[in-house]
Amino acid sequence: MKEYKTIYADPPYPQKIIGKFAERNRRALELPYNTMSIEEICNLPINELADKECHLWIWTTNQFLHDTFHIIEKWGFKYLQTITWIKPSGCGAYFVNTTQHLLFAYKEKCIFKRGRFKPTHFKTSIPKGHSVKPTQVYTMIEDISEEPRLELFARNRREGWDVFGNEIPKDTQRLITKMGGNFTPNGVVELGLNGSATAPPKDFSSTEKSFV
Protein backbone atom coordinates (compact mmCIF):
# COMPACT_ATOMS: atom_id res chain seq x y z
CA MET A 1 0.00 0.00 0.00
CA LYS A 2 1.23 3.49 -0.87
CA GLU A 3 2.46 5.51 2.07
CA TYR A 4 2.13 9.29 1.98
CA LYS A 5 4.51 11.95 3.25
CA THR A 6 1.68 14.50 3.36
CA ILE A 7 -1.99 14.07 4.30
CA TYR A 8 -4.38 17.03 4.15
CA ALA A 9 -7.89 16.56 5.55
CA ASP A 10 -11.09 18.58 5.87
CA PRO A 11 -13.42 16.15 7.67
CA PRO A 12 -17.21 16.51 7.43
CA TYR A 13 -17.74 17.15 11.14
CA PRO A 14 -21.29 16.68 12.51
CA GLN A 15 -21.92 20.42 12.52
CA LYS A 16 -25.40 21.53 13.55
CA ILE A 17 -26.99 24.64 12.09
CA ILE A 18 -28.76 26.76 14.67
CA GLY A 19 -30.80 29.94 14.57
CA LYS A 20 -33.67 31.11 12.41
CA PHE A 21 -33.16 31.40 8.67
CA ALA A 22 -34.38 35.03 8.69
CA GLU A 23 -31.51 35.90 11.01
CA ARG A 24 -28.90 34.00 9.00
CA ASN A 25 -28.60 36.23 5.93
CA ARG A 26 -27.42 34.04 3.03
CA ARG A 27 -26.71 30.94 5.09
CA ALA A 28 -28.27 27.62 4.13
CA LEU A 29 -30.98 25.89 6.15
CA GLU A 30 -28.84 22.74 6.33
CA LEU A 31 -25.34 21.71 5.38
CA PRO A 32 -24.71 21.12 1.65
CA TYR A 33 -23.02 17.79 2.39
CA ASN A 34 -23.51 14.71 4.54
CA THR A 35 -21.53 14.45 7.75
CA MET A 36 -19.70 11.82 9.78
CA SER A 37 -19.68 11.27 13.52
CA ILE A 38 -16.46 11.89 15.43
CA GLU A 39 -16.22 8.15 16.02
CA GLU A 40 -16.50 7.43 12.29
CA ILE A 41 -13.78 9.97 11.50
CA CYS A 42 -11.54 8.55 14.23
CA ASN A 43 -11.97 5.02 12.86
CA LEU A 44 -10.76 5.81 9.35
CA PRO A 45 -7.53 3.78 8.83
CA ILE A 46 -5.41 6.83 8.03
CA ASN A 47 -2.46 5.51 10.01
CA GLU A 48 -1.97 2.79 7.38
CA LEU A 49 -1.61 5.39 4.63
CA ALA A 50 1.06 7.41 6.40
CA ASP A 51 4.82 7.19 6.06
CA LYS A 52 6.73 7.37 9.35
CA GLU A 53 7.74 10.94 8.45
CA CYS A 54 4.23 11.93 7.33
CA HIS A 55 2.89 15.43 7.94
CA LEU A 56 -0.82 15.75 8.75
CA TRP A 57 -2.75 18.95 8.10
CA ILE A 58 -6.33 18.78 9.37
CA TRP A 59 -9.00 21.48 9.41
CA THR A 60 -11.24 22.03 12.40
CA THR A 61 -13.71 24.57 13.73
CA ASN A 62 -13.85 26.11 17.18
CA GLN A 63 -16.73 23.78 18.01
CA PHE A 64 -14.77 20.63 17.13
CA LEU A 65 -11.30 21.74 18.19
CA HIS A 66 -11.22 19.43 21.22
CA ASP A 67 -12.46 16.46 19.15
CA THR A 68 -9.83 17.03 16.48
CA PHE A 69 -7.01 16.46 18.95
CA HIS A 70 -8.54 13.04 19.62
CA ILE A 71 -8.79 12.38 15.87
CA ILE A 72 -5.11 13.23 15.44
CA GLU A 73 -4.14 10.83 18.21
CA LYS A 74 -6.44 8.09 16.92
CA TRP A 75 -4.91 8.38 13.45
CA GLY A 76 -1.48 7.80 14.98
CA PHE A 77 -0.10 11.36 14.86
CA LYS A 78 1.33 13.86 17.33
CA TYR A 79 0.10 17.46 17.42
CA LEU A 80 2.65 20.23 16.85
CA GLN A 81 1.09 23.53 15.69
CA THR A 82 -2.13 25.44 15.00
CA ILE A 83 -2.45 27.72 11.96
CA THR A 84 -5.40 30.10 12.27
CA TRP A 85 -7.45 31.38 9.37
CA ILE A 86 -8.96 34.81 10.13
CA LYS A 87 -12.12 35.61 8.18
CA PRO A 88 -13.69 39.05 7.61
CA SER A 89 -17.04 37.92 9.07
CA GLY A 90 -18.56 35.03 10.97
CA CYS A 91 -21.45 33.68 12.97
CA GLY A 92 -22.17 31.91 16.24
CA ALA A 93 -24.64 31.49 19.08
CA TYR A 94 -22.46 32.91 21.87
CA PHE A 95 -19.35 34.31 20.20
CA VAL A 96 -18.94 35.43 16.61
CA ASN A 97 -16.61 32.84 15.11
CA THR A 98 -14.36 34.60 12.64
CA THR A 99 -11.59 32.01 12.82
CA GLN A 100 -11.00 28.46 11.71
CA HIS A 101 -7.97 26.32 12.43
CA LEU A 102 -5.61 24.09 10.49
CA LEU A 103 -3.80 21.76 12.87
CA PHE A 104 -0.39 20.38 11.98
CA ALA A 105 0.76 17.01 13.29
CA TYR A 106 3.41 14.44 12.43
CA LYS A 107 3.59 10.67 12.67
CA GLU A 108 6.85 9.34 14.13
CA LYS A 109 9.48 11.87 13.13
CA CYS A 110 8.96 15.62 12.68
CA ILE A 111 11.27 16.44 9.78
CA PHE A 112 11.13 19.63 7.71
CA LYS A 113 13.24 19.05 4.60
CA ARG A 114 11.62 21.90 2.68
CA GLY A 115 10.34 25.25 4.00
CA ARG A 116 9.90 26.32 7.59
CA PHE A 117 9.44 29.47 9.70
CA LYS A 118 5.97 30.10 8.26
CA PRO A 119 3.49 32.38 10.09
CA THR A 120 0.79 30.75 12.20
CA HIS A 121 -2.11 32.87 10.99
CA PHE A 122 -3.40 34.37 7.74
CA LYS A 123 -6.32 36.51 6.58
CA THR A 124 -8.55 36.26 3.51
CA SER A 125 -11.54 37.92 1.93
CA ILE A 126 -15.03 36.39 2.21
CA PRO A 127 -14.94 32.62 1.47
CA LYS A 128 -16.33 31.50 -1.88
CA GLY A 129 -18.84 29.11 -0.31
CA HIS A 130 -19.74 27.14 2.78
CA SER A 131 -16.73 25.20 4.07
CA VAL A 132 -14.61 26.22 1.05
CA LYS A 133 -11.03 26.59 2.19
CA PRO A 134 -8.46 29.14 0.92
CA THR A 135 -6.43 27.92 -2.05
CA GLN A 136 -3.23 29.49 -0.66
CA VAL A 137 -3.16 26.72 1.94
CA TYR A 138 -2.05 24.31 -0.80
CA THR A 139 0.96 26.52 -1.50
CA MET A 140 1.91 26.62 2.16
CA ILE A 141 1.61 22.83 2.49
CA GLU A 142 3.60 22.21 -0.69
CA ASP A 143 6.32 24.59 0.52
CA ILE A 144 6.68 22.58 3.74
CA SER A 145 5.59 18.99 3.20
CA GLU A 146 6.95 16.43 0.75
CA GLU A 147 5.41 14.20 -1.89
CA PRO A 148 3.59 11.91 -2.22
CA ARG A 149 0.58 13.91 -1.04
CA LEU A 150 -2.99 12.87 -0.30
CA GLU A 151 -6.05 15.08 0.23
CA LEU A 152 -8.93 13.52 2.16
CA PHE A 153 -12.51 14.73 1.59
CA ALA A 154 -11.32 16.70 -1.43
CA ARG A 155 -13.65 18.72 -3.67
CA ASN A 156 -11.30 19.22 -6.60
CA ARG A 157 -8.31 17.56 -8.19
CA ARG A 158 -4.89 19.16 -7.83
CA GLU A 159 -1.80 18.31 -9.84
CA GLY A 160 0.65 16.19 -7.90
CA TRP A 161 -1.92 15.03 -5.33
CA ASP A 162 -3.96 11.87 -4.84
CA VAL A 163 -7.48 12.74 -3.73
CA PHE A 164 -10.28 11.11 -1.75
CA GLY A 165 -13.75 12.67 -1.75
CA ASN A 166 -17.34 11.95 -2.71
CA GLU A 167 -17.27 14.89 -5.11
CA ILE A 168 -14.44 13.16 -7.01
CA PRO A 169 -15.83 9.61 -7.24
CA LYS A 170 -13.40 8.04 -9.75
CA ASP A 171 -10.30 9.12 -7.85
CA THR A 172 -11.88 8.05 -4.58
CA GLN A 173 -12.81 4.64 -5.93
CA ARG A 174 -9.21 4.00 -7.01
CA LEU A 175 -7.90 4.99 -3.60
CA ILE A 176 -10.49 2.93 -1.73
CA THR A 177 -9.55 -0.10 -3.82
CA LYS A 178 -5.93 0.37 -2.77
CA MET A 179 -7.11 0.55 0.85
CA GLY A 180 -9.00 -2.72 0.55
CA GLY A 181 -12.48 -1.20 0.68
CA ASN A 182 -15.38 -0.97 -1.76
CA PHE A 183 -18.41 1.06 -2.82
CA THR A 184 -21.89 -0.07 -1.78
CA PRO A 185 -24.88 0.29 -4.13
CA ASN A 186 -26.05 3.53 -2.50
CA GLY A 187 -22.67 5.17 -2.95
CA VAL A 188 -21.41 4.83 0.60
CA VAL A 189 -17.72 4.00 0.82
CA GLU A 190 -16.75 1.09 3.03
CA LEU A 191 -13.12 1.15 4.07
CA GLY A 192 -13.11 -1.90 6.29
CA LEU A 193 -10.93 -1.89 9.40
CA ASN A 194 -13.83 -0.27 11.27
CA GLY A 195 -13.77 2.72 8.94
CA SER A 196 -16.52 4.30 6.85
CA ALA A 197 -17.16 7.39 4.81
CA THR A 198 -20.23 9.39 3.97
CA ALA A 199 -22.70 9.14 1.11
CA PRO A 200 -22.37 11.49 -1.89
CA PRO A 201 -23.02 15.20 -1.24
CA LYS A 202 -26.58 16.47 -1.17
CA ASP A 203 -27.91 18.47 -4.10
CA PHE A 204 -28.26 22.03 -2.91
CA SER A 205 -28.30 23.64 -6.35
CA SER A 206 -31.51 25.51 -5.53
CA THR A 207 -30.61 26.40 -1.95
CA GLU A 208 -28.81 29.52 -0.84
CA LYS A 209 -25.47 28.65 0.66
CA SER A 210 -23.39 30.19 3.41
CA PHE A 211 -20.67 32.66 2.53
CA VAL A 212 -19.34 33.19 6.06
Side-chain angles (χ1 to χ4, degrees):
M1 183 181 294
K2 186 174 184 178
E3 293 184 345
Y4 292 90
K5 290 290 186 72
T6 302
I7 296 177
Y8 174 47
D10 187 12
Y13 296 103
Q15 182 83 36
K16 294 182 179 179
I17 291 182
I18 60 175
K20 298 180 180 178
F21 182 73
E23 299 171 351
R24 296 166 59 79
N25 299 322
R26 293 178 291 172
R27 300 190 68 203
L29 288 170
E30 45 183 324
L31 295 174
Y33 50 82
N34 290 321
T35 62
M36 298 174 68
S37 69
I38 298 301
E39 182 179 7
E40 287 175 322
I41 297 171
C42 282
N43 286 337
L44 291 171
I46 306 307
N47 183 57
E48 298 187 13
L49 297 173
D51 180 85
K52 64 181 181 180
E53 297 179 3
C54 183
H55 291 178
L56 173 66
W57 304 79
I58 180 170
W59 281 105
T60 189
T61 63
N62 291 300
Q63 179 180 351
F64 292 102
L65 183 59
H66 178 77
D67 295 300
T68 307
F69 286 107
H70 289 295
I71 293 170
I72 288 172
E73 183 177 356
K74 186 70 175 179
W75 286 0
F77 289 82
K78 299 174 183 178
Y79 166 79
L80 180 67
Q81 184 64 57
T82 298
I83 294 94
T84 299
W85 172 24
I86 303 172
K87 307 177 188 181
S89 62
C91 59
Y94 303 101
F95 295 89
V96 178
N97 290 295
T98 57
T99 59
Q100 201 163 342
H101 310 287
L102 182 62
L103 306 187
F104 175 88
Y106 62 96
K107 192 174 180 184
E108 296 179 18
K109 297 181 179 180
C110 185
I111 298 177
F112 279 52
K113 295 180 180 179
R114 299 169 67 88
R116 58 172 63 199
F117 307 122
K118 302 291 184 180
T120 55
H121 73 278
F122 62 94
K123 298 179 180 180
T124 67
S125 58
I126 297 175
K128 295 180 180 180
H130 181 84
S131 194
V132 176
K133 301 305 187 292
T135 56
Q136 59 258 50
V137 170
Y138 288 105
T139 302
M140 178 178 67
I141 293 173
E142 290 168 355
D143 284 347
I144 295 173
S145 301
E146 295 184 86
E147 296 180 298
R149 303 186 182 103
L150 169 66
E151 180 177 2
L152 301 174
F153 310 105
R155 294 182 173 185
N156 301 288
R157 296 178 179 86
R158 183 173 178 83
E159 185 177 355
W161 290 69
D162 287 344
V163 292
F164 168 100
N166 286 315
E167 297 182 38
I168 314 174
K170 291 183 179 179
D171 297 73
T172 295
Q173 188 165 7
R174 285 196 292 269
L175 182 59
I176 291 301
T177 300
K178 293 178 183 178
M179 296 169 67
N182 59 77
F183 281 84
T184 63
N186 66 353
V188 175
V189 177
E190 291 186 343
L191 296 181
L193 303 175
N194 298 317
S196 64
T198 59
K202 300 175 183 177
D203 181 6
F204 276 73
S205 57
S206 62
T207 305
E208 290 182 287
K209 298 181 175 63
S210 168
F211 288 86
V212 296

